[in-house]
Amino acid sequence: MAASSKTPSKGKKPKKKGSAAKVILGVIIAALLALICAMSIYLVVYLNGLKILTANIDKLDDALGASVIYDADKQEIAKVIKENRENVKFDQFPKQLVDAFVATEDRRFFEHAGVDFWSLGRAVVKDVIARSAVEGGSTITQQLAKNVFLNSDKTFFRKGTEMSIALAIDNKYTKNEILEKYLNRIYFGSQAYGVKAAAKRYFGVIELKDLQLWQIATLAGLPKAPSKYSPISDPEASKDRRAVVLKLMADQGLITEEERAQAAAVDYDPKTQTPVAQSNLFPSFRDYVIKEAYDLYGVTDEQISNGGYKIYTTLNSTAQKAMDKAYTNAKLFQPDGPEQPMQSSMVIIDNASGGIVAMTGGRDYKSGTWNRAYKPRQPGSSFKPLVVYAPAIEKKGYLPTSMLDDTKQEFGKYAPRNYDGQYLGQVDMTYAIKKSKNIPAVWTLSKIGINTGKDFAKQLGITFDENDNNLAMALGGMTKGESPLQMAQAYAAFANNGVYNQGHAILKIEKSDGTIIDYKAEPKKVMSEKTSWYMTQMMKEVVTSGGTGVRADFGRPLAGKTGSTQLDLKGLESHYRDIWFVGYTPQWTGAVWAGFDKTDSKHYIRKNYSDRANMVFSAVMAEAMKGIPVKDFERPSGGKQIEQEKPPVQEKKSVTDLRAGWQNSGVRLSWTAPEGTSAYQVFRKGPGETDFSQLTPSNSTEYMDQTVQPGGTYEYYVVPANGDAAGVQSNVASVNVPGTEPTPTPPNPDDNNGENGNGNNNGNGNGNGTNNGNNNGNNNGNGNGHNNGNGNGNGNPGKDKDKDKDKDKEKNPGNTGGGTGNGGSTGGTASPTPTPTPSEPAGSGTTGSRDGELQPNNG
């Protein structure tokens, strides 16, 4: 029998029992060696940190030195140093205060030895993925080490040094001592150093034990970015940051959900703040420099306050002094309201570089408060050049002489209006800008497309909310708006041959170790020289006689645009919420905003003060530019004068003899056709209505309106259509519709029997008739008929013989010239064009604009 195949081979040797043990021993030895290496590295790192700490131990309590800010001429304008600081002992910190900072900044603070290796590992992974040092992973101890000994560079070498110092600090001091030093020295913004000074600065709280939870959470949110999250300078951002801190505390079981919700809902009251002494020139500019240092270069407020830096800026001290002087002149502003003054802010930018020449954050601005120079407001019509007219020229081939539609119309559900109620049928682009007409701007944006306008404006540094997608943008109707800084840097591109520069205040920062951070300019071509030249030529008209910005003129070559936004309070719609002027010379561009921080029925811009932004601009620029050579705008290569490319102007058709009369069950309109016109738009205003609305178009010279209600007066006008363009608005004809009592039907207006006609707005209103038939009406208004016969004539109010003219006017709203006379055919005369009341309910958009122009956004 054959041997079994399962029999072991005699040549195979059994495994040795000691091989597994050798593997285990090797692993242990490797682990020990790794541990020894790690301990050695740790010891080296710790000893390095201990050496640095020992050599600089006094820096834990004392600042390195003041940082100095210089103007463009390298003259010192401010020192940044710890001026407002109060130290307290750890036992004076409420437990909830400590909990808030630990929960927000370093939740494992009481567990690690100065460095949280778990957090550090997570940060390293993120840095590797991003291929740069993006994640900090810093503990409170590391932040203390960084603020005292190091700069803000995010490099692995700096991170290692920071860790070594943190380990040494943790070994030398207790956790409570570390927290005490941290909370006593960190910068909280608004010149407050340490938590006690911050409590007093923001809330007027002297003893920390009196702090409420919402105040504690607000303070705990500040160290991340004091300027950004200051409740004084930005209450909304501060409240959002506070909510983050409260959620962290709730998630870690330090407060209840009810406590979180209550503390998150509190609104900050700026009246609780404690002012600090002003020890520097130009506080608005100084504060912006500190903000820009962090935003652009990552240099923190704390590092500037004790790092001994030298910061060189673009400030022109002469211009800044001129601005500060003007902002103390009460005559340039509307008188103060009962609770707050009219506010304003202004920025001047150098066209060629984008350097901020001067800046003010408001009247009587205090350091660390609300800097309105970079806070958004509705820009009104000053937005038209950026989102409508410049992109129309640059992207769609329009010219300053291109004819734009100025017919009263609706764009879907959006019904803008011209502020003066006048509609000219067609106007050229230059006239539309000079008079700040609204219909042409909205019509043009509808033709070039919203995205075309937005894409162009974005190249000029303009930012849009996701909801900014309607035609209201043509009139500055935006969700958030734009700031004077954004508007100034955008307009500067027009003066700089279409080259855009980012607005900036810092030229370079020189650190205490000699390291230099330079501003790197990145000019960007955003439009052709031809477009910028055309825009300048058109906006020069704004500041000439008849333009909306004539009071901004200060005797130098100047171009610019006015802007204003509607006051959307019932009964006050003819007044303003915001007013603007943005203008530029060949050298500098300035943007002025004026209004109230909180607009209400007691605080708004009255229409007789609507020119204040223009006046502020003129006063500041006239003084600021003394000594700057006067020069004119230079026509770029290839640029042409506007009149050289003027296209043929289409003749504007007009109806001058519109007649209206009651016939059977409706109002019959008739008129004479202008040559070459076969279509008409018909508009009506009924009893109690404040504005005209469009009826069904007509293709003949007659129209029957059978939708009127018994009783009351109806007014009508027509606009001829001329191809794709509209003509000029006709005269207004009015008719009294009978009540419920039967009324004899007047003869046909085509017969020689007379008809209702309109008299002029004076005591003896004469119609355009031929054979002077008298129409004796109320208030001595006389109309004229053509041929002898009897007819009824309605005229506009004649001269009021009463002293109380307003009262009489209410009694006689526009049909007081009627009477009987001998005449045949109608004496039809044109009455003055009506001025619709600029009040209209807003729709789904945001507030639009008016330069004098109230503009609701219905789209």
Side-chain angles (χ1 to χ4, degrees):
M1 187 174 177
S4 172
S5 61
K6 295 181 180 180
T7 303
S9 173
K10 293 181 180 180
K12 188 174 183 180
K13 296 181 181 180
K15 292 182 179 179
K16 294 182 180 180
K17 295 181 179 180
S19 57
K22 289 181 179 179
V23 172
I24 294 172
L25 180 61
V27 171
I28 293 173
I29 293 173
L32 289 172
L33 289 174
L35 181 60
I36 292 172
C37 289
M39 291 296 294
S40 299
I41 293 173
Y42 176 86
L43 184 61
V44 171
V45 170
Y46 168 73
L47 291 175
N48 180 60
L50 182 61
K51 180 181 178 181
I52 297 173
L53 177 62
T54 303
N56 300 276
I57 193 69
D58 57 326
K59 291 182 182 179
L60 278 173
D61 298 307
D62 297 324
L64 176 64
S67 291
V68 181
I69 299 176
Y70 301 90
D71 67 8
D73 293 326
K74 298 183 179 180
Q75 298 298 308
E76 179 181 322
I77 61 170
K79 285 185 177 179
V80 187
I81 193 172
K82 292 185 176 181
E83 300 166 345
N84 181 23
R85 177 178 174 185
E86 296 183 54
N87 289 337
V88 294
K89 295 296 183 182
F90 181 82
D91 57 11
Q92 293 180 265
F93 297 141
K95 181 180 183 303
Q96 208 166 53
L97 178 71
V98 174
D99 288 344
F101 277 89
V102 172
T104 306
E105 298 293 322
D106 185 4
R107 64 182 300 176
R108 285 168 40 83
F109 173 75
F110 290 102
E111 301 171 22
H112 60 66
V115 177
D116 188 349
F117 289 101
W118 288 106
S119 297
L120 183 63
R122 181 181 66 248
V124 170
V125 171
K126 290 187 177 181
D127 288 349
V128 171
I129 293 174
R131 296 184 179 181
S132 66
V134 297
E135 180 72 16
S138 293
T139 64
I140 284 177
T141 316
Q142 286 176 261
Q143 291 180 51
L144 181 62
K146 177 179 66 177
N147 289 337
V148 174
F149 304 105
L150 304 165
N151 58 40
S152 61
D153 298 334
K154 286 187 175 181
T155 64
F156 289 107
F157 176 78
R158 184 202 61 78
K159 192 61 141 177
T161 307
E162 173 191 300
M163 290 169 55
S164 69
I165 299 173
L167 291 171
I169 290 175
D170 192 82
N171 186 65
K172 182 175 179 61
Y173 299 99
T174 66
K175 292 292 186 180
N176 289 356
E177 289 173 331
I178 293 172
L179 275 173
E180 179 183 303
K181 293 181 181 297
Y182 177 74
L183 293 174
N184 277 328
R185 73 168 291 113
I186 57 175
Y187 184 56
F188 285 86
S190 298
Q191 299 187 41
Y193 297 86
V195 69
K196 184 169 184 179
K200 182 179 180 181
R201 176 72 176 97
Y202 292 115
F203 311 116
V205 174
I206 305 300
E207 300 296 332
L208 295 179
K209 63 181 177 60
D210 296 328
L211 285 169
Q212 301 176 39
L213 175 58
W214 74 271
Q215 295 169 327
I216 287 172
T218 300
L219 294 174
L222 282 167
K224 181 178 178 66
S227 297
K228 182 177 181 180
Y229 297 123
S230 166
I232 298 175
S233 62
D234 200 332
E236 292 183 6
S238 174
K239 190 174 183 180
D240 291 342
R241 175 64 177 162
R242 183 208 311 164
V244 173
V245 174
L246 290 167
K247 188 176 187 306
L248 288 171
M249 295 180 71
D251 291 345
Q252 296 173 40
L254 299 172
I255 58 174
T256 66
E257 176 59 25
E258 182 180 1
E259 289 175 321
R260 182 206 65 77
Q262 290 178 351
V266 179
D267 289 323
Y268 176 72
D269 182 2
K271 294 179 182 178
T272 63
Q273 65 175 292
T274 302
V276 295
Q278 299 294 299
S279 57
N280 295 290
L281 291 171
F282 318 139
S284 298
F285 187 83
R286 170 192 181 277
D287 285 356
Y288 185 77
V289 167
I290 295 173
K291 177 182 183 296
E292 187 176 283
Y294 179 79
D295 290 345
L296 295 186
Y297 308 110
V299 178
T300 67
D301 302 38
E302 170 73 9
Q303 290 165 328
I304 291 178
S305 66
N306 68 6
Y309 291 177
K310 294 180 180 179
I311 304 175
Y312 297 90
T313 74
T314 58
L315 181 80
N316 181 300
S317 290
T318 299
Q320 185 66 61
K321 290 175 181 177
M323 188 179 291
D324 292 347
K325 177 183 176 181
Y327 270 70
T328 62
N329 183 358
K331 293 181 180 179
L332 294 175
F333 301 93
Q334 180 176 307
D336 293 350
E339 298 175 4
Q340 53 176 319
M342 182 187 200
Q343 272 297 350
S344 178
S345 59
M346 183 175 184
V347 175
I348 301 175
I349 280 184
D350 181 86
N351 298 331
S353 67
I356 297 175
V357 173
M359 168 188 287
T360 186
R363 299 174 66 192
D364 195 27
Y365 177 87
K366 297 293 190 298
S367 184
T369 58
W370 183 262
N371 192 331
R372 301 164 188 83
Y374 54 86
K375 301 300 181 183
R377 295 288 294 222
Q378 296 294 321
S381 289
S382 64
F383 205 51
K384 292 174 182 175
L386 306 178
V387 78
V388 179
Y389 296 123
I393 293 173
E394 179 73 12
K395 301 296 183 181
K396 300 297 181 179
Y398 282 63
L399 296 171
T401 48
S402 294
M403 301 306 295
L404 312 179
D405 196 341
D406 188 33
T407 304
K408 185 173 183 181
Q409 58 192 291
E410 294 184 4
F411 301 85
K413 294 182 179 180
Y414 182 38
R417 304 184 307 279
N418 288 339
Y419 75 93
D420 56 4
Q422 301 296 312
Y423 303 89
L424 302 180
Q426 285 186 313
V427 296
D428 62 34
M429 187 182 291
T430 302
Y431 185 85
I433 290 177
K434 178 174 182 174
K435 294 294 187 179
S436 197
K437 297 183 74 66
N438 290 338
I439 294 294
V442 177
W443 180 85
T444 303
L445 184 59
S446 74
K447 295 299 182 184
I448 69 172
I450 291 173
N451 288 335
T452 298
K454 286 175 62 176
D455 290 344
F456 183 88
K458 287 176 182 178
Q459 295 296 305
L460 294 169
I462 298 300
T463 57
F464 292 93
D465 184 86
E466 60 182 8
N467 296 316
D468 293 334
N469 285 300
N470 53 60
L471 292 175
M473 289 190 307
L475 310 182
M478 306 177 71
T479 304
K480 296 180 180 178
E482 303 298 330
S483 70
L485 176 57
Q486 288 174 300
M487 295 297 287
Q489 66 189 13
Y491 268 66
F494 294 132
N496 197 32
N497 291 326
V499 177
Y500 169 81
N501 286 290
Q502 177 74 33
H504 62 282
I506 297 175
L507 292 173
K508 69 176 181 178
I509 299 176
E510 183 178 336
K511 298 183 180 180
S512 57
D513 62 1
T515 305
I516 301 293
I517 301 175
D518 282 316
Y519 173 76
K520 293 180 174 57
E522 296 180 356
K524 180 172 58 175
K525 187 75 171 178
V526 295
M527 71 186 90
S528 67
E529 294 182 353
K530 179 179 178 180
T531 297
S532 64
W533 170 250
Y534 279 154
M535 291 304 300
T536 296
Q537 294 303 298
M538 289 190 291
M539 286 193 281
K540 284 172 66 176
E541 293 296 310
V542 173
V543 296
T544 61
S545 178
T548 58
V550 66
R551 298 206 68 176
D553 182 36
F554 64 103
R556 282 177 177 253
L558 175 66
K561 185 69 187 73
T562 54
S564 53
T565 61
Q566 177 184 7
L567 182 63
D568 49 354
L569 297 176
K570 188 174 182 180
L572 299 173
E573 293 87 352
S574 62
H575 301 282
Y576 305 87
R577 177 179 292 271
D578 306 277
I579 54 175
W580 289 77
F581 184 79
V582 188
Y584 55 93
T585 68
Q587 297 99 331
W588 290 351
T589 295
V592 179
W593 164 85
F596 287 85
D597 288 339
K598 182 180 179 182
T599 304
D600 54 35
S601 60
K602 297 180 181 178
H603 304 91
Y604 58 88
I605 302 170
R606 299 195 292 275
K607 56 185 177 183
N608 52 321
Y609 288 95
S610 62
D611 58 359
R612 285 323 194 238
N614 299 351
M615 292 171 60
V616 170
F617 179 91
S618 178
V620 172
M621 296 295 282
E623 187 75 17
M625 297 197 74
K626 284 183 177 178
I628 307 258
V630 177
K631 58 181 296 188
D632 202 352
F633 295 103
E634 296 181 3
R635 187 192 309 177
S637 175
K640 299 179 180 180
Q641 294 288 7
I642 289 176
E643 59 269 20
Q644 289 181 315
E645 296 193 30
K646 188 172 183 178
V649 178
Q650 299 182 22
E651 181 183 356
K652 301 176 183 179
K653 304 298 182 181
S654 176
V655 170
T656 60
D657 61 346
L658 175 65
R659 303 173 293 277
W662 174 253
Q663 183 174 342
N664 296 326
S665 59
V667 174
R668 185 169 182 265
L669 305 177
S670 62
W671 60 90
T672 302
E675 183 179 354
T677 303
S678 59
Y680 305 87
Q681 296 172 330
V682 183
F683 295 85
R684 182 188 75 185
K685 182 169 70 172
E689 296 178 346
T690 59
D691 213 346
F692 285 81
S693 58
Q694 187 171 353
L695 302 178
T696 305
S698 174
N699 293 321
S700 70
T701 57
E702 293 187 352
Y703 188 90
M704 192 70 180
D705 181 12
Q706 294 181 315
T707 63
V708 296
Q709 300 298 317
T713 300
Y714 285 81
E715 296 179 87
Y716 299 85
Y717 69 83
V718 298
V719 176
N722 184 22
D724 292 332
V728 177
Q729 173 183 314
S730 75
N731 61 290
V732 174
S734 62
V735 62
N736 287 322
V737 175
T740 56
E741 295 296 324
T743 303
T745 302
N748 190 303
D750 291 337
D751 300 331
N752 288 335
N753 294 322
E755 189 179 270
N756 295 332
N758 289 317
N760 291 323
N761 191 15
N762 53 45
N764 295 304
N766 294 319
N768 295 326
T770 305
N771 292 326
N772 297 336
N774 288 325
N775 290 324
N776 296 318
N778 296 329
N779 290 336
N780 300 323
N782 294 323
N784 292 323
H786 282 282
N787 299 318
N788 293 328
N790 294 321
N792 296 321
N794 290 322
N796 289 326
K799 289 184 179 179
D800 185 6
K801 297 181 179 180
D802 298 330
K803 293 182 179 180
D804 187 354
K805 294 184 180 181
D806 292 337
K807 183 176 181 181
D808 185 75
K809 186 177 180 180
E810 292 175 4
K811 292 181 179 179
N812 299 287
N815 291 298
T816 57
T820 60
N822 296 319
S825 59
T826 304
T829 59
S831 67
T833 303
T835 302
T837 303
S839 170
E840 190 167 324
S844 59
T846 52
T847 302
S849 74
R850 55 176 293 166
D851 287 341
E853 66 259 46
L854 297 183
Q855 200 50 238
N857 295 328
N858 299 326

